[in-house]
Amino acid sequence: MRQLSVAAYAYIGCAVLAAVGCAVPAALPSASTPWPTVGLLAVLYAACERMRSCPLSRALARGARSGGAPGHAEGMPPRWGCPVLLAGVFLLPPAAAALAVLPGALLSRTEERAATARRVWHAAELALAARAAAEVFGAGGSRAVLAPEFPYALLPAAAATTVFCAVLAALDGGVLIAAERHPPRTAWRGLLLRSLAPHLVHGLAGLMMAVLWRSSYGPPAALLVLLPMYISCWVFAQYHRERAAHQATIRALVQAVDLKDRYTRGHSERVGRASVMIARELGMAEDRLDVIRFAGILHDVGKLGVPTRLLRKDGPLTPEERRVIELHPEYGHEIVRGIGFLGEARAAILHHHERMDGTGYPYGLRGREIPESARVVAVADAFDAMTSTRSYRRARPVAAAVTELRRSAGAQLDPRMVRALVAALARHGWQPEVVTAGTEGPAVPPPRPALHRHPAPEAGPVPGTAALPGTATAPHPGPAGGER
Amino acid sequence: MSADGPGDPLAVPYRTGTPRAVVLVHAAAGALACLALGHTLWRGLSDPGIALAFGALIAVGELARGGSAPPARGGAGTLPGDRESAPLGVAGALAYALLGEVGGRATSHGVLQAVAVVVAAGLVGLVPHVALGRGPALDHIARRVLTVGFAATCFQPLYTTGRLAAWIGNGSYYICYLLGLLALTALCDAVLAAALARARTGWPYGPLLRDELRSLLGIGSAICATGLVIALATAVAGLWALPVFCLPLLLTQLSFRRYAAVRATYRQTIASLARATEIAGYTPQGHARRVAVLSRAVGRELGLGEADLSVLEYAALMHDIGQLSLVDPVTGGATAGLPPAEQRRIALLGGAVVRRTGVPAEVAMIVERQADPFRDQPLPARIVRTVNAYDDLAGGDGGPGGTLRALERLRLSTAQDFEPRVVEALARVLARPFGAL
């Protein structure tokens, strides 16, 4: 919520009025509201909301913390107190269920910007959802919470939880349009589907709380249900934090390459992006896309093994030096060999300089012998090398690069991958200057003399591309010069 | 970090042979299990339906157990779930031990049947794991048999004779009694687990027990609460409560596994990053790994807890990263021989790289300060500095002569560079047989 618009105020105002209308009947003298239960649940929910980052979890998280996890704040994901809300829905009359939500939601922690508006909105939508869910549950037979009829409570409880979730999703979509100016067509996309499964699980926990609450053991037994839920949410948050830290480490591997070879800055990230575009165009599965992205990002990681003096050398390379540089795919494979989840990305790193006609390195594989992932990365690498600015020449326009790629398809690159990239470019375009967060560092690479370090391609099968870094088109002797 | 692919690159081999404490625990658990099974076979199952339901629950929990053998202690284990790889199984076992009635009707399984069901279900759940070639994790089973026996002994006789109800009724006090009993059980289990780990590894007992107790706060409390809730809910609502409440717990278990998996790949990535300096020829083969393993052992010797140890391990793995920004490799990768100002510059460069990796900021701090005089350093940095210098001096494989000479050199520099306490801890660690690191 940036500067809240009039529409947003109007929308939130309407929701607040409706919520007040939902909750007020509980306070009327005629209503037989079970005040102790309402009070206890309200306090409980408020405690849950305040405890998003509790000292216990912080103590546990020591040593497992990440510095580079943008977007994922410390502590719980929001609304881990959801089972309490749903227990209220199952235990209380509808209006009282709406009332019990309010204190917790109004006291909750939230982002700095427009905090009051956020809290009020949060309280209003939860009250509305709770009221609706409680009405549904009441219609389905609220007495079923009593123990002997327990199995019959499952269906109404599931229905009530679904309604709760649906009302929240509908209202959330509305506020996205009113306050965040999302287009109406996309505002609701995926909102319900994403949240339904977690809500149903929380619904089961809430039902268990309600059953225990009404049993002879009383509310203390119900409280115990919250502990496993809390731990579960905590683990979930930890998982996301750890994953972000892991991705930061992958980036760090790439940045370590940048330390040595400064002028290919951003190249790895862009190759990763282009590789994913190709793979998606080929219809690869989502988890394979991830692996391909890592293959693109890490394809040059083996340059860590090449002496820095060689990588930064100005002027032509001797055949001996070229051979050393040509070792980088093998070094890269050696470095990432221990990382289990990379899977076929490891093959891509080893073989991204193979050529379709069998004159590439390190093994001189040809055609379909080259792993598919390596063929994808090779095309992406060649494309980015042509379209990005290097110290010794300017970037080419995308159209020129595409022509060049088409020309080298067959002998050097896999035509299928080239076609896929061209199709993807036609559909999505290309923003070469996008640099993902975290690649900042020494902002300007040291100026290098604009030397042509890439020997002209005598009799190269694809004349023209040999001078382009990243394409490695020059035939033996001397493909390494093309690599840089 | 050698050629064994995606396995835990830093696992430490166990001491060979079985220490007496382990034999003792196993024998006690085995005797109890045999007694329970024999008694149950002789008398027949009472309430077979209930026994079957809980047995199935425990077996499923055991089946859903993660792949790694439980006592994965060589590695960084701040994850509270490292300790318990089958929380659902444990919770089910505790619930069966504390089950007094089902749907309002009193149960009649006694202590021995509770133990027998837990043992039988545990064995059934084990079959696939053994078939896949993973170890049967006998320590865990022994511990579980003993804890379940303890909890059932403290609960079943009192409950079935009605004395518990006469003393404290059936309300909140009852819950308090159960909570207290569970806390006691968990405490005993932690003591037992630490004793087993101590006997197996020879590490000091205090930090091991502290780690066990800390893990008790996390997943341990959740397991106990879940076991209790299952017992209570089954008492109120009948066996229906089992599937309803086990679904959330199963999800917890799955997210624990995902967490453990992503943590493992994270460690692999850090280890790969650390290896980059070796492949680049800046440091000798295996240097980072040796320094990490030795640093961990020295840190443990000095009484650091699991969380600090994992920070120390990451720092030790990446301590040479700064050399990547050198244009020419240092001879032999041994920074110990460089002038102090140069050492400090490399350390700062390394810290800058480490800060981007998403590891805790303490790690980067340790890497940055590794070249300072020890009085300005935090303890982990002193350890890394000492162990790094030792590895440089001993020249990798060491050998008895190299080890002694290197230690002697370190001792001569304890005025400014290396802390005497750390050097002595290192000497003690090195004096042990290899497996005890």
Side-chain angles (χ1 to χ4, degrees):
Chain A
M1 296 185 197
R2 284 152 253 167
Q3 209 54 5
L4 279 184
S5 63
V6 182
Y9 275 119
Y11 184 74
I12 295 178
C14 288
V16 169
L17 280 182
V20 169
C22 281
V24 158
L28 296 180
S30 59
S32 55
T33 304
W35 285 110
T37 312
V38 173
L40 212 50
L41 279 170
V43 169
L44 207 54
Y45 181 60
C48 288
E49 282 285 348
R50 294 300 294 182
M51 240 181 35
R52 280 229 197 115
S53 72
C54 80
L56 169 68
S57 73
R58 247 180 279 132
L60 289 170
R62 216 157 62 85
R65 220 170 46 234
S66 87
H72 263 284
E74 297 252 329
M76 299 294 120
R79 294 188 194 163
W80 75 273
C82 198
V84 180
L85 288 185
L86 289 164
V89 164
F90 301 144
L91 283 170
L92 297 172
L99 190 64
V101 166
L102 295 177
L106 287 174
L107 284 173
S108 67
R109 285 158 200 247
T110 178
E111 277 180 56
E112 290 292 311
R113 288 174 307 135
T116 315
R118 273 172 200 276
R119 287 202 190 98
V120 169
W121 159 249
H122 191 51
E125 72 168 345
L126 282 176
L128 284 172
R131 168 87 196 226
E135 295 283 357
V136 169
F137 189 73
S142 54
R143 304 253 54 83
V145 167
L146 291 177
E149 296 160 81
F150 173 70
Y152 303 106
L154 280 176
L155 202 61
T161 311
T162 312
V163 167
F164 183 80
C165 187
V167 171
L168 280 187
L171 291 171
D172 272 339
V175 88
L176 282 183
I177 296 171
E180 305 271 1
R181 306 198 180 87
H182 279 230
R185 271 189 314 127
T186 59
W188 278 284
R189 186 175 292 166
L191 272 182
L192 181 62
L193 286 181
R194 248 179 296 143
S195 57
L196 188 57
H199 271 101
L200 282 177
V201 172
H202 283 177
L204 287 181
L207 183 63
M208 199 47 79
M209 277 187 83
V211 168
L212 285 174
W213 194 291
R214 283 275 162 83
S215 75
S216 61
Y217 305 120
L223 264 178
L224 287 175
V225 175
L226 281 180
L227 196 54
M229 297 312 287
Y230 177 72
I231 298 284
S232 173
C233 290
W234 178 74
V235 172
F236 197 69
Q238 282 299 93
Y239 166 74
H240 279 287
R241 187 178 307 167
E242 200 80 348
R243 217 173 73 133
H246 179 233
Q247 300 205 335
T249 308
I250 298 263
R251 297 241 147 75
L253 261 172
V254 175
Q255 285 157 2
V257 179
D258 285 352
L259 270 181
K260 297 178 62 124
D261 188 7
R262 296 199 184 127
Y263 84 121
T264 53
R265 171 148 295 276
H267 170 66
S268 306
E269 291 281 347
R270 289 191 304 267
V271 171
R273 216 145 40 85
S275 302
V276 168
M277 281 170 79
I278 297 173
R280 187 167 281 142
E281 194 66 29
L282 293 173
M284 290 188 190
E286 201 62 35
D287 51 343
R288 213 170 154 210
L289 289 186
D290 262 352
V291 172
I292 295 279
R293 187 161 55 82
F294 282 123
I297 291 177
L298 289 174
H299 73 283
D300 266 348
V301 76
K303 284 191 174 167
L304 284 176
V306 179
T308 311
R309 191 164 287 289
L310 219 54
L311 285 177
R312 295 190 185 169
K313 181 176 178 188
D314 297 321
L317 297 166
T318 65
E320 177 60 32
E321 290 169 335
R322 197 157 283 146
R323 261 194 296 283
V324 172
I325 289 191
E326 274 182 30
L327 286 174
H328 84 265
E330 286 167 274
Y331 285 145
H333 185 250
E334 175 67 21
I335 290 177
V336 300
R337 198 186 50 194
I339 310 181
F341 84 102
L342 282 180
E344 66 174 341
R346 290 178 288 190
I349 291 165
L350 181 58
H351 293 299
H352 73 276
H353 280 297
E354 305 281 4
R355 298 165 46 103
M356 295 298 280
D357 58 10
T359 58
Y361 59 91
Y363 294 145
L365 302 183
R366 63 172 68 227
R368 301 192 68 86
E369 291 169 358
I370 308 169
E372 195 178 23
S373 52
R375 284 178 270 150
V376 171
V377 171
V379 173
D381 188 17
F383 173 72
D384 182 69
M386 284 188 270
T387 52
S388 56
T389 303
R390 297 289 164 89
S391 52
Y392 46 85
R393 56 139 186 76
R394 299 186 59 79
R396 297 192 183 189
V398 170
V402 163
T403 318
E404 204 59 62
L405 283 180
R406 282 216 174 100
R407 204 181 312 159
S408 39
Q412 182 202 348
L413 303 170
D414 184 348
R416 193 162 71 98
M417 308 303 169
V418 173
R419 276 198 303 274
L421 178 62
V422 172
L425 287 174
R427 198 173 304 172
H428 308 293
W430 180 248
Q431 292 87 35
E433 70 285 350
V434 174
V435 173
T436 38
T439 45
E440 77 283 346
V444 185
R448 306 162 66 82
L451 273 177
H452 196 78
R453 298 178 303 146
H454 310 282
E458 330 89 64
V462 194
T465 41
L468 304 168
T471 52
T473 30
H476 304 166
E483 205 293 314
R484 310 282 312 277
Chain B
M1 229 169 315
S2 54
D4 15 315
D8 185 349
L10 299 168
V12 171
Y14 272 164
R15 190 185 269 185
T16 45
T18 316
R20 200 184 316 150
V22 178
V23 175
L24 216 67
V25 170
H26 284 193
L32 180 58
C34 289
L35 178 67
L37 283 173
H39 179 266
T40 311
L41 284 177
W42 182 256
R43 301 282 290 274
L45 271 180
S46 59
D47 293 328
I50 298 168
L52 202 65
F54 275 89
L57 173 66
I58 297 168
V60 166
E62 201 63 44
L63 281 175
R65 183 157 70 102
S68 63
R73 281 195 173 272
T78 45
L79 168 65
D82 279 3
R83 309 311 150 105
E84 195 45 78
S85 54
L88 189 54
V90 181
L94 284 177
Y96 193 56
L98 300 182
L99 190 67
E101 49 187 77
V102 169
R105 199 173 55 78
T107 56
S108 56
H109 67 273
V111 177
L112 288 176
Q113 185 178 323
V115 174
V117 166
V118 168
V119 169
L123 290 180
V124 169
L126 260 172
V127 171
H129 290 286
V130 174
L132 284 174
R134 296 185 204 127
L138 284 178
D139 280 5
H140 265 241
I141 297 181
R143 265 170 55 199
R144 190 175 315 167
V145 167
L146 291 178
T147 45
V148 166
F150 176 77
T153 311
C154 292
F155 175 78
Q156 292 287 350
L158 285 177
Y159 189 87
T160 38
T161 53
R163 219 169 286 168
L164 201 57
W167 286 344
I168 53 179
N170 213 2
S172 311
Y173 288 120
Y174 178 68
I175 307 271
C176 291
Y177 173 77
L178 288 179
L179 277 178
L181 173 57
L182 275 177
L184 199 60
T185 311
L187 215 58
C188 293
D189 185 50
V191 170
L192 200 61
L196 281 175
R198 154 93 189 152
R200 285 227 185 258
T201 59
W203 293 335
Y205 189 77
L208 281 175
L209 184 62
R210 204 172 56 212
D211 289 339
E212 289 295 339
L213 291 179
R214 185 175 293 157
S215 84
L216 213 59
L217 282 182
I219 185 75
S221 60
I223 292 172
C224 289
T226 308
L228 186 49
V229 167
I230 292 179
L232 295 177
T234 314
V236 174
L239 287 178
W240 274 96
L242 281 188
V244 169
F245 199 70
C246 286
L247 190 65
L249 196 66
L250 197 61
L251 291 180
T252 311
Q253 184 159 340
L254 289 182
S255 48
F256 252 116
R257 274 179 65 178
R258 284 209 306 174
Y259 177 37
V262 80
R263 218 181 144 76
T265 56
Y266 184 32
R267 276 163 53 77
Q268 289 167 2
T269 312
I270 298 265
S272 296
L273 184 61
R275 231 166 25 151
T277 51
E278 290 164 20
I279 288 167
Y282 289 113
T283 52
Q285 278 295 318
H287 171 70
R289 175 176 178 271
R290 284 195 303 271
V291 173
V293 172
L294 254 185
S295 294
R296 245 190 116 81
V298 172
R300 197 176 284 286
E301 183 71 27
L302 291 171
L304 295 187
E306 198 60 44
D308 294 329
L309 283 178
S310 96
V311 166
L312 174 63
E313 178 180 3
Y314 284 161
L317 275 174
M318 296 194 281
H319 74 275
D320 274 334
I321 287 284
Q323 293 193 40
L324 283 177
S325 33
L326 300 181
V327 175
D328 287 312
V330 184
T331 324
T335 43
L338 291 180
E342 182 65 8
Q343 286 189 33
R344 232 164 278 154
R345 194 179 73 87
I346 297 176
L348 285 178
L349 287 169
V353 176
V354 173
R355 277 192 198 288
R356 300 186 189 169
T357 59
V359 295
E362 293 101 302
V363 177
M365 210 259 289
I366 295 171
V367 172
E368 273 166 8
R369 311 261 301 262
Q370 61 175 316
D372 294 354
F374 79 81
R375 290 190 181 81
D376 304 340
Q377 286 177 316
L379 179 61
R382 295 175 188 184
I383 297 175
V384 172
R385 174 163 200 188
T386 308
V387 174
N388 178 38
Y390 166 76
D391 196 73
D392 286 347
L393 292 171
D397 49 351
T403 302
L404 289 181
R405 232 173 301 129
L407 278 176
E408 200 46 49
R409 291 271 303 275
L410 293 184
R411 286 198 178 109
L412 290 178
S413 309
T414 45
Q416 191 193 356
D417 294 344
F418 310 114
E419 193 189 355
R421 205 160 58 97
V422 177
V423 176
E424 288 323 308
L426 174 66
R428 282 199 300 281
V429 168
L430 289 170
R432 286 187 208 146
F434 167 67
L437 275 187

